[in-house]
């Protein structure tokens, strides 16, 4: 919500710029301000080739990246120049003096590879002071930078070779961790192979979108609407994030199928809220209960927009008031009060907020049941949607031809879940959860979780 694998994991409204020296000496924050469901740190794509600066695209984000390469060579920059390129909320989180200090450390920054490019976001691999970094730059609808994140390029962690190694490495990812590797039998039962706190409920971030997809597929199956039904993007259904539907103008139309693909593959929050609006929040609540996730904190089911607003507007008073209400009163508060707040009222945050009270919740075991529920739907569209992004799991596709993935993140949490099926027809689910209610998680956690899941599949497949 990158609540990607991202960060994948609840894209940031305003990310804190990380200086070269900070990256070299300590882990950088996973995100800095309300991270949206599913944002994950970008990693260089295999087989990419270096590009010249002239190849930076002429898009709103590309033009700001061009400016950045020029700006780092002539610091300090005036506050007026910075305000002409950065969103006010960003500069409130990262004051000009600190930003100039960071940019000065990048004076010899050189473009190596353009990894990803969308109109409102670019990810590039750069070198500065002889050190490789990825830079992720996001812009708002006005073309002003509202996210700028530098991360060191590090080798991916090794795949663990034993369950004991998984346990030991898992314990180092966060103060609170959960893990389950289970075989998913043909009758839909999750048979544990290895578990750590598998029955404990953890905050989910964007993994709640598994249940949204389930509710949508069930509604399609009952003929309530179709995968080709068109949805309209309206201001009241927009949610924080960049890329995907957030970049499209009001009154644009998108099919249920496209929205679902964006919701799962890039954890698009606006797509998610369009689908919740279409199917109804109570339908998602029914799917949660039917698939075994009975945590009372999931009712009423908040949209991603509502979650961001409750955590980002007049915090903590608004959140505390909401949490003091009963279920019926909370539903009325969401519909009558929170619905009136514009997204512009959200103030960025860099420390975890209410991860144990104001989130979505399920245990690793319940997530396995959610995958079982999706499989039981026997909906080819679900398989298509869940297979788009594997978060870089890297299993041998000759041995593991089918891989599904969904992750979730917010400041202080990072979760990842996968389903993989062997060429012999056996299916396994691996879920890895990490939570720190006191501080943001370092970005390396996501890569480590991918490695732990990869090891779990290999070990389970050998058992």
């Amino acid at each position: 919500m990158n609540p990607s694998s991202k960060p994948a994991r609840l894209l940031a409204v305003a990310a804190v710029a990380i200086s070269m020296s900070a990256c070299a000496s300590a882990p950088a924050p996973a995100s800095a301000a309300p991270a949206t469901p599913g944002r994950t740190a970008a990693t260089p794509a295999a087989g990419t080739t270096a590009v010249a600066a002239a190849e930076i695209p002429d898009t709103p984000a590309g033009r700001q990246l061009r400016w950045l390469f020029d700006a780092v060579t002539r610091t300090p920059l005036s506050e007026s120049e910075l305000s002409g390129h950065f969103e006010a909320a960003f500069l409130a989180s990262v004051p000009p003096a600190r930003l100039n200090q960071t940019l000065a450390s990048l004076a010899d920054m050189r473009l190596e590879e353009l990894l990803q490019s969308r109109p409102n976001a670019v990810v590039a691999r750069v070198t500065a002071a002889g050190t490789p970094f990825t830079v992720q730059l996001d812009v708002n609808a006005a073309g002003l930078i509202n996210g700028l994140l530098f991360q060191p390029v590090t080798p991916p962690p090794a795949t663990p070779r034993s369950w004991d190694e998984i346990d030991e490495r898992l314990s180092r990812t966060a103060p609170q961790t959960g893990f389950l590797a289970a075989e998913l039998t043909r009758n839909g039962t999750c048979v544990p192979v290895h578990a750590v706190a598998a029955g404990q409920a953890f905050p989910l971030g964007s993994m709640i979108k598994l249940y949204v997809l389930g509710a949508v597929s069930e509604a399609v199956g009952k003929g309530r609407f179709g995968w080709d039904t068109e949805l309209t993007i309206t201001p009241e259904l927009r949610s924080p994030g960049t890329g995907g539907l957030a970049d499209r103008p009001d009154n644009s139309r998108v099919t249920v199928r496209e929205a679902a693909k964006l919701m799962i593959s890039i954890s698009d929050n606006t797509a998610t809220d369009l689908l919740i609006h279409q199917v109804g929040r109570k339908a998602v609540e029914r799917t949660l209960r039917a698939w075994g996730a009975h945590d009372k904190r999931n009712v009423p089911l908040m949209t991603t927009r509502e979650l961001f607003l409750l955590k980002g507007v007049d915090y903590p008073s608004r959140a505390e008031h909401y949490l003091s209400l009963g279920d019926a009163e909370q539903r009325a508060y969401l519909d009558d009060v929170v619905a009136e707040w514009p997204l512009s009222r959200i103030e960025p945050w860099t420390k975890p907020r209410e991860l144990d009270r104001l989130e979505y919740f399920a245990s690793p075991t319940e997530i396995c049941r959610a995958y079982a529920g999706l499989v039981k739907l026997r909906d080819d569209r679900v398989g298509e949607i869940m297979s788009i992004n594997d978060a870089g799991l890297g299993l041998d596709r000759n041995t593991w031809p089918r891989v599904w993935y969904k992750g979730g993140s917010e400041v202080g949490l990072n979760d990842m879940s996968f389903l993989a099926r062997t060429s012999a027809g056996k299916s396994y689910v691996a879920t890895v959860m990490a939570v720190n209610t006191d501080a943001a998680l370092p970005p390396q956690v996501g890569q480590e979780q991918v490695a732990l899941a990869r090891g779990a599949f290999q070990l389970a497949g050998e058992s």
Side-chain angles (χ1 to χ4, degrees):
M1 284 173 34
N2 288 167
S4 131
S5 114
K6 231 257 71 294
R9 296 148 78 310
L10 283 174
L11 254 211
V13 171
V16 171
I18 306 302
S19 70
M20 299 288 287
S21 58
C23 284
S25 61
S31 61
T36 58
R39 180 176 186 170
T40 55
T43 53
T48 55
T49 57
V51 298
E55 295 183 47
I56 297 175
D58 187 22
T59 62
R63 289 191 288 273
Q64 291 289 19
L65 184 62
R66 286 177 182 273
W67 170 83
L68 184 67
F69 276 100
D70 172 66
V72 297
T73 67
R74 48 185 180 81
T75 56
L77 305 174
S78 67
E79 291 192 18
S80 61
E81 180 173 0
L82 291 173
S83 64
H85 289 273
F86 288 89
E87 187 179 70
F90 184 100
L91 293 175
S93 178
V94 188
R98 182 181 175 193
L99 184 53
N100 267 311
Q101 182 181 17
T102 296
L103 296 180
S105 69
L106 303 167
D108 66 343
M109 187 168 67
R110 179 169 59 90
L111 177 65
E112 301 291 347
E113 303 174 67
L114 191 64
L115 304 177
Q116 298 175 25
S117 177
R118 301 192 303 272
N120 285 4
V122 290
V123 181
R125 178 171 176 149
V126 303
T127 299
T131 303
F133 283 78
T134 57
V135 54
Q136 179 164 340
L137 184 152
D138 307 303
V139 300
N140 62 16
L144 296 175
I145 299 171
N146 65 357
L148 182 60
L149 182 64
F150 294 94
Q151 294 181 309
V153 175
T154 57
T159 303
R161 298 184 178 182
S162 69
W163 296 116
D164 286 343
E165 183 182 352
I166 285 178
D167 290 350
E168 193 275 328
R169 287 169 57 174
L170 176 71
S171 69
R172 289 190 271 116
T173 60
Q176 301 175 42
T177 57
F179 177 89
L180 178 67
E183 182 179 356
L184 183 57
T185 66
R186 294 185 184 277
N187 66 3
T189 301
C190 293
V191 179
V193 177
H194 189 78
V196 176
Q200 178 181 333
F202 291 86
L204 296 180
S206 285
M207 286 209 299
I208 189 64
K209 296 169 185 178
L210 294 170
Y211 299 94
V212 177
L213 179 61
V216 167
S217 176
E218 289 171 340
V220 170
K222 294 175 182 177
R224 287 183 51 198
F225 51 83
W227 287 110
D228 293 328
T229 297
E230 290 191 330
L231 312 174
T232 302
I233 302 170
T234 58
E236 61 271 16
L237 295 178
R238 288 192 178 277
S239 185
T242 60
L245 300 189
D247 294 344
R248 301 188 191 181
D250 289 342
N251 300 315
S252 298
R253 298 182 69 81
V254 59
T255 65
V256 167
R257 178 187 179 192
E258 184 181 3
K261 291 169 87 170
L262 292 169
M263 175 180 72
I264 297 298
S265 64
I266 66 169
S267 216
D268 189 314
N269 295 327
T270 297
T272 303
D273 289 0
L274 285 172
L275 292 170
I276 293 175
H277 179 74
Q278 176 71 16
V279 75
R281 73 171 91 229
K282 288 188 176 181
V284 183
E285 292 167 3
R286 288 193 294 271
T287 300
L288 280 158
R289 291 192 296 271
W291 291 357
H294 297 288
D295 198 294
K296 293 180 179 179
R297 293 170 291 182
N298 292 329
V299 178
L301 190 282
M302 296 172 290
T303 64
T304 67
R305 176 191 176 99
E306 290 165 346
L307 182 60
F308 278 112
L309 288 168
L310 285 169
K311 292 194 177 191
V313 175
D314 299 334
Y315 181 83
S317 61
R318 299 285 189 170
E320 290 290 354
H321 177 70
Y322 175 79
L323 290 166
S324 72
L325 303 175
D327 288 353
E329 294 170 309
Q330 285 183 337
R331 290 186 193 277
Y333 192 73
L334 293 175
D335 292 339
D336 300 336
V337 180
V338 179
E340 299 299 317
W341 301 342
L343 295 181
S344 59
R345 291 188 62 185
I346 295 175
E347 297 182 357
W349 68 91
T350 60
K351 293 183 179 180
R353 289 185 174 178
E354 311 295 347
L355 292 183
D356 56 349
R357 298 197 298 165
L358 197 58
E359 244 288 347
Y360 314 102
F361 299 91
S363 68
T365 295
E366 289 162 351
I367 291 298
C368 185
R369 292 173 182 167
Y371 276 92
L374 289 172
V375 171
K376 286 180 180 179
L377 291 171
R378 300 186 183 281
D379 188 331
D380 290 342
R381 294 297 187 210
V382 168
E384 171 194 17
I385 290 163
M386 290 295 301
S387 301
I388 296 171
N389 177 11
D390 73 352
L393 186 62
L395 292 175
D396 180 350
R397 286 305 179 97
N398 291 320
T399 304
W400 303 88
R402 183 180 187 182
V403 176
W404 291 3
Y405 162 75
K406 188 71 197 84
S409 70
E410 191 188 339
V411 179
L413 79 89
N414 202 78
D415 299 331
M416 290 190 169
S417 63
F418 303 84
L419 177 148
R421 178 177 293 175
T422 69
S423 55
K426 281 194 170 185
S427 294
Y428 297 89
V429 173
T431 301
V432 192
M433 295 177 158
V435 179
N436 186 342
T437 58
D438 296 321
L441 295 172
Q444 295 88 343
V445 166
Q447 286 189 321
E448 179 71 343
Q449 289 176 317
V450 171
L452 297 181
R454 183 188 309 116
F457 283 116
Q458 293 178 355
L459 290 166
E462 295 169 357
S463 62

